[in-house]
Amino acid sequence: MQDASYELAGAKCQRGRQISADGFLSRPVQIGRAVLNHFYPPTCLNCAAPIVVPDALCAMCWRKLRPISAPLCPRLGLPFEVFLGPDGLSAEAIANPPEFDRARSALIHNDVARSLILRLKFGDRPELAKFCARLMLAAGAELLQEQSILVPTPLHRTRQFSRRFNQSLELARQMHRQGGFMVDPLLVRRQRPTRPQIGLSARQRAKNVAGAFALDPEGIERCWGHPLVIIDDVMTTGSTVSAITRTLRQKGFERIDVISFSRVVIGGADPI
């Protein structure tokens, strides 16, 4: 999968150009979409109920989402019930300071967010990344700079072969297409297969991914001096993005943030 401003084969990072709504392609695209919607009416990405516009949720599913917004922990992005001041940290950030600088997530990982991610990962629905990326761009706006490079969490080649695509790469691609941010999918690679993290404790998760990542020497040169933003689908304990961050820090990268679609919060759907 390759477009004019995203060269995966050479991992060439370029800032994407967006065609404005009044550009010369807008009219044919609008006509084409109208014809497509006539024969294939858009449906909710979660429950398949009829909706007006494609790549969206119905009103009922939308109301079930739990967006993460201020007040929140400035390091981990965990939601607070009350504002604790600009430097007020969560208990997790104080007890176990993260390897990365800051993390932001679009949603609390509840039933609807889980359903969307499972469909994206295992349901052969990469088009869901368009909706997810839209929310991630809004949630991570303060982390993203013009020179930021998005670094998708890599899969081991055997798992990517069986799954056919990497959901984190699909999210990063959509963030590139919608926001114009650079992506380097080859900077970080998973050098050994790891167990699925589901069902593992925090300590087991950290051990599972310890030493699992390595950097591409040419990728280091491409990305040197840029602020990096690791892209992941779900943050649970943060062990995977922390392992990637440690690998990047060892090679001298300084500014490293994280953006994910959803975040597991202690207490389920309620803020901590």
Side-chain angles (χ1 to χ4, degrees):
M1 300 178 66
Q2 181 174 335
D3 61 38
S5 57
Y6 183 94
E7 301 183 15
L8 177 58
K12 186 177 182 180
C13 297
Q14 299 183 12
R15 183 164 177 80
R17 295 180 297 174
Q18 296 179 314
I19 299 175
S20 63
D22 57 352
F24 73 97
L25 289 181
S26 62
R27 184 68 176 175
V29 168
Q30 289 173 2
I31 294 173
R33 285 178 178 173
V35 172
L36 185 63
N37 290 344
H38 175 75
F39 290 101
Y40 301 98
T43 59
C44 173
L45 294 174
N46 184 55
C47 71
I51 56 176
V52 177
V53 295
D55 304 315
L57 299 180
C58 66
M60 183 172 295
C61 289
W62 181 263
R63 285 195 296 267
K64 293 177 182 178
L65 295 179
R66 295 295 305 277
I68 298 178
S69 57
L72 48 75
C73 172
R75 291 295 304 279
L76 293 178
L78 291 168
F80 289 146
E81 290 186 347
V82 296
F83 181 59
L84 301 181
D87 299 320
L89 298 178
S90 62
E92 287 87 343
I94 295 172
N96 187 23
E99 303 278 350
F100 47 82
D101 294 300
R102 298 169 296 175
R104 296 292 183 269
S105 302
L107 303 171
I108 291 175
H109 194 65
N110 65 3
D111 289 341
V112 176
R114 182 183 302 108
S115 174
L116 293 172
I117 288 299
L118 289 177
R119 291 167 190 259
L120 172 63
K121 292 173 67 170
F122 306 114
D124 199 19
R125 296 282 305 278
E127 72 276 7
L128 290 172
K130 184 183 297 185
F131 170 81
C132 298
R134 195 158 61 236
L135 301 187
M136 293 169 68
L137 284 169
E142 66 177 307
L143 277 57
L144 295 166
Q145 307 173 34
E146 184 176 355
Q147 295 303 312
S148 294
I149 294 180
L150 308 183
V151 180
T153 299
L155 294 176
H156 189 263
R157 61 181 181 273
T158 56
R159 185 166 298 172
Q160 181 155 342
F161 178 79
S162 63
R163 196 177 289 175
R164 299 200 298 171
F165 68 94
N166 176 358
Q167 71 278 1
S168 295
L169 176 55
E170 294 301 320
L171 292 170
R173 275 181 175 151
Q174 284 298 329
M175 293 174 73
H176 159 75
R177 290 169 183 164
Q178 297 177 36
F181 297 101
M182 296 179 285
V183 180
D184 196 316
L186 302 182
L187 171 61
V188 182
R189 63 182 176 86
R190 195 179 293 242
Q191 62 184 352
R192 65 173 178 82
T194 55
R195 294 173 54 193
Q197 298 278 66
I198 298 174
L200 300 182
S201 67
R203 180 172 296 181
Q204 290 172 327
R205 285 170 179 261
K207 183 178 180 180
N208 188 39
V209 295
F213 301 101
L215 301 187
D216 171 54
E218 293 183 0
I220 296 174
E221 184 177 351
R222 283 193 304 271
C223 299
W224 189 255
H226 289 264
L228 303 181
V229 182
I230 300 171
I231 303 300
D232 207 357
D233 53 353
V234 182
M235 276 190 68
T236 305
T237 63
S239 56
T240 300
V241 294
S242 292
I244 294 173
T245 302
R246 281 193 295 272
T247 304
L248 291 166
R249 297 270 193 228
Q250 289 169 2
K251 296 300 182 179
F253 286 98
E254 296 180 354
R255 194 67 189 179
I256 305 170
D257 294 317
V258 179
I259 300 177
S260 68
F261 174 64
S262 62
R263 175 70 193 254
V264 173
V265 174
I266 296 174
D270 297 320
I272 59 173

